[in-house]
Amino acid sequence: MFGFLGVVVVLAFVLLFMSINVLPEYQRGVVLTLGRYTGTKGPGLIILVPVIQRMMRVDLRVTVMDVPPQDVISRDNVSVRVNAVVYFRVVEPDKATLKVADFLQATSMLAQTRLRSVLGQHELDEILSQRDTINRILQTILDEATDAWGIKVSNVELKDVDLNETMIRAIARQAEAERVRRAKVIHAEGELQAAEKLRDAAATLSQQSQALQLRYLQTLADMSSSGNTHTIVFPLPLDMIKPLLDSLPRS
């Protein structure tokens, strides 16, 4: 009799131990009763009916997923190898458990396919220079696709864009040509501005004939003060010899 009671007591303690579950703050429990979903529990102390009820734990913390490197053909037919990082978390534990078999693997596969699809719509220059825009596009697409699974994608970041050596040399030549073009444009703009200033100066000097002579004298003074011993050619203003030219008989 006592042996039977002892077995019953031990069995009762075992069942009680199996029925008690404690969930931390960052976890929730999806409870199935006889295979049917009956609610989401937690956090704290959870008591289940052994054998009849079963609970699956779901972590609500942000998960960082490294997307493996993907071979992508850009819109301008350039082959690149790109990897990324996806930040997401579960916001509806029941959907993450009941709607998809493995939401981690499903999110990873979806991120890989969407990464290739989105980058294939952009040219190489856009992939290299507009990462923030591409990150927002990827985040929006993934968030909409995973909403049915109860998952919120908070951020997507492109990590590395690897190019082959031939493309790297081509980009270097392109950058060098761009710098040369800018230098020529800046030089041409400087020549244009200098010509405009000379035109304005000539217009100012032409208003008074004496101003040009004073400018000649100032130039001679500057040359003599610099210690220049070379021969100085002094331009003779036409205004000084114009009376003589007018007095000559014309044929």
Side-chain angles (χ1 to χ4, degrees):
M1 184 64 179
F2 290 102
F4 177 75
L5 291 176
V7 172
V8 172
V9 172
V10 171
L11 184 60
F13 274 107
V14 171
L15 293 176
L16 180 62
F17 178 77
M18 294 174 58
S19 64
I20 296 177
N21 294 268
V22 177
L23 294 179
E25 184 66 31
Y26 55 83
Q27 284 186 351
R28 297 294 184 270
V30 178
V31 179
L32 300 179
T33 302
L34 296 177
R36 296 178 61 87
Y37 171 70
T38 56
T40 301
K41 305 293 185 180
L45 180 64
I46 308 297
I47 298 178
L48 302 176
V49 179
V51 181
I52 297 177
Q53 290 184 319
R54 183 168 63 94
M55 183 181 68
M56 290 171 286
R57 298 171 180 257
V58 180
D59 199 322
L60 302 184
R61 292 176 294 183
V62 175
T63 301
V64 181
M65 176 178 293
D66 190 7
V67 180
Q70 302 295 310
D71 293 324
V72 179
I73 303 296
S74 63
R75 192 171 64 181
D76 51 349
N77 296 324
V78 178
S79 177
V80 295
R81 193 171 180 84
V82 183
N83 61 346
V85 179
V86 180
Y87 299 84
F88 66 94
R89 63 186 182 89
V90 177
V91 294
E92 297 181 74
D94 53 336
K95 290 184 178 181
T97 303
L98 303 177
K99 299 295 184 180
V100 59
D102 188 345
F103 66 87
L104 292 175
Q105 184 179 6
T107 304
S108 177
M109 293 296 104
L110 182 64
Q112 295 177 38
T113 56
R114 291 295 189 271
L115 180 63
R116 293 193 296 268
S117 175
V118 171
L119 294 185
Q121 301 174 8
H122 293 77
E123 296 183 357
L124 178 61
D125 291 341
E126 296 175 350
I127 296 175
L128 296 176
S129 61
Q130 300 180 11
R131 289 196 179 188
D132 292 339
T133 302
I134 296 176
N135 290 339
R136 288 194 295 269
I137 294 174
L138 284 171
Q139 185 269 331
T140 302
I141 293 175
L142 289 177
D143 188 38
E144 292 176 354
T146 57
D147 183 67
W149 303 339
I151 294 174
K152 173 66 178 178
V153 178
S154 57
N155 196 12
V156 179
E157 293 286 344
L158 295 180
K159 289 176 59 180
D160 300 317
V161 179
D162 296 330
L163 303 172
N164 54 45
E165 293 296 331
T166 303
M167 185 54 59
I168 292 176
R169 289 194 295 268
I171 293 176
R173 290 195 299 269
Q174 179 183 2
E176 183 179 0
E178 178 66 19
R179 288 192 294 269
V180 172
R181 184 190 68 83
R182 291 181 182 179
K184 291 182 178 179
V185 171
I186 292 173
H187 179 72
E189 291 178 351
E191 293 291 339
L192 176 62
Q193 293 177 5
E196 292 175 351
K197 295 299 181 182
L198 289 175
R199 180 197 60 192
D200 296 340
T204 302
L205 291 173
S206 65
Q207 296 176 1
Q208 292 291 334
S209 60
Q210 297 83 358
L212 184 59
Q213 181 65 24
L214 292 175
R215 183 58 184 166
Y216 287 153
L217 296 175
Q218 181 64 42
T219 303
L220 290 176
D222 294 339
M223 295 174 64
S224 61
S225 63
S226 62
N228 190 355
T229 59
H230 295 81
T231 302
I232 298 175
V233 179
F234 180 72
L236 183 63
L238 294 177
D239 294 340
M240 296 179 62
I241 63 174
K242 185 177 180 181
L244 298 176
L245 295 177
D246 294 339
S247 64
L248 293 176
R250 298 182 180 180
S251 56

